[in-house]
Each structure stands twice: as structure tokens, then as C-alpha cells.
Amino acid sequence: MYVQTAITVFNKRLGADRREVYFPTCIRSASFLENKSSGHSTDGAHSQSLAYKLRIPLGAKIQDGRSYVPADKFRQLDEEAAAKAWTLQTGDYVLPMATELTAPVDQKQMEALGQLIYVKEYADNTIRGSAAVKHWRIGGE
């Protein structure tokens, strides 16, 4: 079942010191689905995994009115411009709750916030269709 929630997307970039930093963006009205699956191997071992599907509607409320920028363009922005935009790219993280963060954080600060979803895939489905169906989709674990 999909649940309407607020999420925080952490966009990965290289900082001035060549270390990875994450730019947080809080997005309200996202749809969130958690899917638990289990399996077993031939030796009888059981494993359990979680898969997540998130959808962000085109009309979602984005922190500070930030604009979506494709990932390749986001990488080219300077730090000041990147703080006023958001994107989706493989390797980003999503926190399934709202935060009030505005400044970039490092990996340790981000992990201290709670359970993170690693973005494995994403799609920009805002090009075709009516405004009611346009959205960004995130798949992660």
C-alpha cells in the first residue's frame, strides 16, 4: 500500500575538498511503498530484503521552491546553485521523513538521521501525460 509522506532526498556531490557531501531537499506529498521479500538458497539459508518504491508528483511541495535539474546538469552547478536545486541520480539517498536541514552534510551526519534508502534506479516521468500523472519515480533498497 502506498502511503503519502514527506521525504528528504540527499543529492551526492564532490565538495571543495574532494570528499562526498550530500545536499538535502525535503519533499512533501511523496508516495512511499515498502516491499519485504524473502528467499532461500539451496543450502537452506533464508534471506530477507526490503525494496522501496517512491513517487514524487510534479505538484509536490519542494523545500524552498527548489527546481528539479537533470543529474548531468546538477553535477555542473557550483555549490551555491546546487543548494537551490535538486535532482535524482543513482547513489543518492532518501530518508523517509522530513528534515529541516538546509546545509550540505557528510555521510556520518546523514546516517545519524535514521534509516536511509539507497537510490538504485530513478525515472523522470514528467515529460508526457497530464499534470495529474506526471511524477519522478525512485527505486531503492
Side-chain angles (χ1 to χ4, degrees), residues 12-52:
K12 179 173 66 171
R13 289 180 47 93
L14 286 179
D17 60 357
R18 306 294 295 162
R19 292 185 185 181
E20 292 178 348
V21 293
Y22 295 85
F23 284 73
T25 301
C26 182
I27 301 173
R28 300 192 185 279
S29 301
S31 298
F32 178 85
L33 174 70
E34 179 180 291
N35 185 18
K36 296 180 184 180
S37 64
S38 63
H40 64 281
S41 62
T42 55
D43 65 358
H46 291 276
S47 65
Q48 215 176 27
S49 64
L50 292 173
Y52 299 93

Side-chain angles (χ1 to χ4, degrees), residues 113-135:
L113 296 172
Q115 178 187 1
L116 295 169
I117 299 167
Y118 179 77
V119 176
K120 290 181 66 174
E121 63 179 352
Y122 64 94
D124 181 352
N125 297 323
T126 61
I127 298 162
R128 291 187 297 262
S130 68
V133 298
K134 291 182 179 183
H135 65 279

Side-chain angles (χ1 to χ4, degrees), residues 2 7 9 19 31 35 37 64-65 94-95 107 116 128 141:
Y2 277 100
I7 62 172
V9 175
R19 292 185 185 181
S31 298
N35 185 18
S37 64
D64 301 328
V94 176
L95 180 68
Q107 181 108 18
L116 295 169
R128 291 187 297 262
E141 57 182 28

Side-chain angles (χ1 to χ4, degrees), residues 53-102:
K53 298 287 183 201
L54 296 102
R55 284 188 170 72
I56 303 168
L58 186 61
K61 184 178 179 197
I62 312 294
Q63 179 180 351
D64 301 328
R66 296 177 188 178
S67 299
Y68 176 82
V69 177
D72 56 338
K73 304 259 192 251
F74 186 78
R75 283 187 220 95
Q76 296 171 2
L77 298 175
D78 62 22
E79 192 166 316
E80 185 179 329
K84 297 176 184 174
W86 72 282
T87 193
L88 293 173
Q89 56 192 346
T90 303
D92 284 347
Y93 288 91
V94 176
L95 180 68
M97 59 186 269
T99 64
E100 298 303 321
L101 295 172
T102 56

